Amino acid sequence: MNIKDERTRDVLMRAAAEFFLRESAGPALITVTRVTVSEGGKNVHIGLSVLPEQYEENVADFAHRKRGDLAQYIKEHTRLGRIPYITITIDYGEKNRQKIDELGRNT
């Protein structure tokens, strides 16, 4: 990943975290755990972690509905020239890492 894509990733991670902090008024805590920018910055994947886990499906639906609003927020609050195509999913890799940590503590 080149330096421009790394900067784009950092800007998008901060903007997405701020957006979900402002927009989510529900009982779930939404955390942006991963942002992956494609080569050239045309596409971005945002991974979310949700606590408590029972709200993951609701948050996934919420995030999918709010993709357009997130893109508008990024346009208004960052200095990116081109807004990438955004996909958002629950970050199961982070969930698995947390489970492994918990199992390690219990042994």
Side-chain angles (χ1 to χ4, degrees):
M1 180 181 296
N2 64 35
I3 191 76
K4 183 177 180 184
D5 290 342
E6 287 182 29
R7 286 185 191 150
T8 300
R9 183 195 66 207
D10 293 343
V11 167
L12 290 171
M13 185 169 224
R14 182 180 37 79
E18 290 171 359
F19 175 80
F20 285 113
L21 179 65
R22 291 178 186 206
E23 291 294 317
S24 65
L29 172 65
I30 303 172
T31 306
V32 177
T33 55
R34 183 177 317 231
V35 174
T36 307
V37 178
S38 69
E39 191 70 32
K42 292 183 180 180
N43 299 300
V44 64
H45 174 80
I46 299 173
L48 301 177
S49 176
V50 181
L51 288 176
E53 291 179 7
Q54 67 196 36
Y55 293 107
E56 283 181 348
E57 187 175 323
N58 294 341
V59 169
D61 291 340
F62 167 77
H64 183 72
R65 285 192 320 268
K66 292 289 191 172
R67 270 189 344 195
D69 294 340
L70 174 57
Q72 185 64 34
Y73 182 87
I74 290 168
K75 183 177 181 181
E76 292 173 359
H77 292 88
T78 67
R79 295 171 57 182
L80 293 178
R82 177 178 30 166
I83 306 303
Y85 179 77
I86 301 169
T87 57
I88 305 170
T89 60
I90 301 300
D91 188 358
Y92 291 106
E94 178 64 19
K95 261 180 84 166
N96 292 336
R97 186 198 62 77
Q98 290 172 355
K99 266 187 190 169
I100 290 169
D101 285 349
E102 183 178 322
L103 290 172
R105 278 185 253 133
N106 292 336
T107 57

